Amino acid sequence: MVAPAYPKPERRLLLPGLLAPEPGLETYWVRAGGLTAVRLAAGDELTVIDRQGRQAAEITTLDPQGRSRGSVLGLPPDGPATVLGGLADGGAHRASGPADPVLAELIRRGLDPTDLTASITFGEWSPAGASETFTAREDGIVVVAAPGSAMRVDDDAANPPSDLMLQIRRGDAREREAPPLPEPLAEPVMDFRIDLASALSYEVKAGQFIQIIDVEGRQCSDFLAFDGRRLQDGHERYLDATATRYFMGRAYPQPGLFGKFYDQDMQPLVEVVQDTVGRHDTFGLACNRKYYEDMGYPGHVNCTDNFNEQLRPFGVAPRAGWPALNLFYNTSFDDHHQLVFDEPWSRPGDYVLLRAGADLVCASSACPDDIDPANGWVPTDVHVRVYDAERKFSMAIAHRTTPEQPAELTKRTAFHSRTSALTRQFTEYRGYWLPTSYDAHGAIEEYWACRERAAVMDLSPLRKFEVLGPDAEMLLQTCVTRNIRKLSHGQVVYSAVCNETGGMIDDCTVFRLGDHNFRFVGGDEYTGRWLREQAQRLGLDRVWVKHSTDQMHNIAVQGPASRDILSGLIWTPSTQPAFTDLTWFRFAIGRLGDHNGIPIVVSRTGYSGELGYELWCHPDDGPGLWDAVWDAGQPHGMLPLGLDALDILRIESGLVFAGYDFSDQVDPFEAGVGFTVPLKTKEDDFVGRDALLARKASPQRKLVGLELAGNEPAEHGDCVHVGRAQVGVVTSATRSPTLRKNIALCRMAVEHSEIGSEVEIGKLDGHQKRIPARVVRFPFYDPDKERPRA
């Protein structure tokens, strides 16, 4: 008898940000320098994973009451639990954020962390991805810590501490359960659950904070807020999406300068303080009876009816459809201007934190929509917490390098205490708050300071990775386009990073600190993970890529006076070049002032097109470095410089920007950085080489400079035409104060890329309005790079 041939199972959708499909599997993270405690039952498996490598794990086992008990995992002690011991002075709490909830409970019961021991796994040379699995012999608590100290920027063999990941497979795996709620941000004054397909009303006072939590992920929660005092007077004034979009200039507010929601009288009612999702809706109504009837589901429970019922005691008139703030509802407009929606972006525990601008009557729902993707097809609960107005919460937006990673909230750089004293104009940039301009100056004055004298700017969000080990040179030689083998100690090189198709996934500078020690500085957090993936693919097991952004922040001092400003500040030992001897794209390791000063790295690099330097230090030393540079710069007329002025400088100087001038769909030749691809002189293979050979042989597009006629500016994304046909697209544009003209960078069809070619930039629909433009030499400012070489 022939066995029946069953079809192969189809590949399933990947949902890495949701609950694990494997029953009983739980994932936890241990932050670098921090700790995480988990409860285990006999038979549970605990796997500890060193994701980046070279990171020790301290494992301490306790009985359920918090007493030391090595028999839980059967591990012998190797020494004191250093991170746990640091709880005595609050060290681990500072490193890992809010106190671990399991450990916090034990400390409340009287746990003395100073007497505990730990077993050590992994260490100085553990490979990236190394893992150890342990089986619990009895019920207990396991505390896993990732010890580490501050990375010295003057250590050419630095090993910054990194995260660990924990996976638990429960021995009595049951059906998937709802995940635990995230710990409260503070002691709540209200804490309640909104069951699926229901709504609740509640009152908050001015200044209080409202945290709305998606418990299981992909669940919408519609939110209404009324001015409580006006409502008592019989006037309904509630969140008005049209007024909000008009004043904020956004589809929906986000934390920062444009984060308020207004009512019909144009009064701010709530402000967004924190948002771990970043995708919501202010265009659609809360789901209502008519929607379900029109879809063939008469009588379906809906948010609008639930709201009407909850708001009746406050004298609010019922509506057929409530215009709500639809939190976590994933909507957008497509190319045909149709409003479309899909499953929410939110993951378990994601939340929005709002601050009440007045006494409010609020209502929140757990949307019952189960007939379309609005709630991922399966409605679940929503949770709400309200915190006292006296609490302080920082403005923050969440970022995730990959979908399965926990949210990283926006951070302040080491120099924030100094820059925030000079301006209120901040924007969120790659996970950090950076100034856009300074209140006493503005972008144009800051620009002229850099061109004529000097300016100092905070560039700390650049992503830094320590690439270490005997295989480090081989990895970088394979992963970047430049010839790393030719890089000398103390030298920096600018390079493209390409995928297999030749598209640019990042640009970077690579510092060579030693034979086997490099520092990779790029723009994208994911590049570090990509480098580790390439090392695994290549079988390079003697290289480590360690994330060091949080260990090294940096400012740039740029402009003709930058050398004079810094020459009296920078001390270097005799084993390093003198500061005044540094040439373009060279660096030195030194100190501020003298041999007892702040450790720094100084590189003759920049992003302005001027003579300039970048100064790199540990974040703890940031304020001291800023103060010293600021004081030295004042006699030279140095000003602080924000992102708005920096954009003018870099466009004039032909310096490209990720997401504008290049992407993974654009190769280095099309991005204007073809000089980073030495196909003739770099004999070794590298990622994307074959594709780049083909692209260079048959070029289709080229980055060119455009000068525009008249005073109307171009914008990123504007189409460029010759007659009816589109022949290019504007990637970056600005008004050049030096040239007194509007200029633009344009990715142009090679047939129209010759200097002097006449084109037109399309506005409106691309045809009704055109700006004449001409292809000119590029870069616009100092095309021979004489000023930064000076």
Side-chain angles (χ1 to χ4, degrees), residues 30 48-50 54-60 78 83 118-123 126 132 134 143-147 164 166:
V30 184
V48 184
I49 304 171
D50 181 4
R54 297 186 69 187
Q55 175 58 56
E58 290 184 352
I59 303 176
T60 300
D78 293 314
V83 180
S119 300
I120 308 297
T121 188
F122 312 133
S126 55
E132 292 282 350
F134 311 94
V143 183
V144 181
L164 299 170
L166 308 181

Side-chain angles (χ1 to χ4, degrees), residues 478-641:
T478 306
C479 291
V480 306
T481 57
R482 280 294 179 91
N483 195 339
I484 297 301
R485 295 195 192 281
K486 292 188 174 182
L487 200 61
S488 300
H489 294 193
Q491 190 175 5
V492 191
V493 68
Y494 172 75
S495 182
V497 185
C498 296
N499 57 26
E500 291 290 350
T501 68
M504 285 182 65
I505 60 176
D506 206 350
D507 64 346
C508 67
T509 50
V510 178
F511 292 62
R512 185 160 203 160
L513 289 85
D515 288 345
H516 308 306
N517 303 79
F518 299 83
R519 182 165 294 139
F520 179 104
V521 181
D524 194 332
E525 182 94 3
Y526 181 76
T527 306
R529 174 165 174 164
W530 181 82
L531 288 170
R532 287 189 289 272
E533 290 172 350
Q534 297 307 306
Q536 184 177 23
R537 178 181 68 84
L538 296 165
L540 302 177
D541 57 3
R542 300 295 289 170
V543 60
W544 290 264
V545 180
K546 301 297 295 285
H547 188 210
S548 57
T549 303
D550 290 339
Q551 300 289 322
M552 181 174 291
H553 287 193
N554 55 296
I555 55 174
V557 181
Q558 305 281 296
S562 57
R563 183 187 288 119
D564 295 337
I565 291 172
L566 297 176
S567 60
L569 289 180
I570 309 300
W571 173 89
T572 59
S574 57
T575 55
Q576 295 283 320
F579 168 76
T580 53
D581 292 338
L582 282 179
T583 55
W584 202 28
F585 280 88
R586 293 279 176 169
F587 73 91
I589 300 171
R591 289 180 178 264
L592 197 62
D594 57 29
H595 66 281
N596 294 314
I598 293 171
I600 60 170
V601 173
V602 54
S603 60
R604 191 166 159 185
T605 52
Y607 195 53
S608 67
E610 294 290 345
L611 170 67
Y613 301 84
E614 291 179 276
L615 306 176
W616 317 72
C617 70
H618 188 273
D620 290 347
D621 296 322
L625 175 60
W626 178 280
D627 291 345
V629 170
W630 184 257
D631 291 343
Q634 293 314 291
H636 298 268
M638 185 182 74
L639 294 182
L641 187 137

Side-chain angles (χ1 to χ4, degrees), residues 38-42 61-69 71-72 102-103 105-107 109 111 138-142:
V38 293
R39 297 185 185 275
L40 297 181
T61 52
L62 312 168
D63 69 13
Q65 285 70 45
R67 296 183 294 265
S68 180
R69 191 172 184 86
S71 58
V72 174
V102 176
L103 202 57
E105 179 185 343
L106 295 177
I107 291 175
R109 294 181 186 177
L111 172 70
E138 56 189 79
D139 294 357
I141 297 169
V142 176

Side-chain angles (χ1 to χ4, degrees), residues 757-778:
S757 298
E758 301 285 345
V759 296
E760 295 174 343
I761 297 173
K763 306 296 286 186
L764 302 179
D765 66 350
H767 300 288
Q768 296 185 61
K769 183 178 180 181
R770 297 279 183 88
I771 303 173
R774 179 170 52 90
V775 178
V776 297
R777 189 182 179 192
F778 152 73

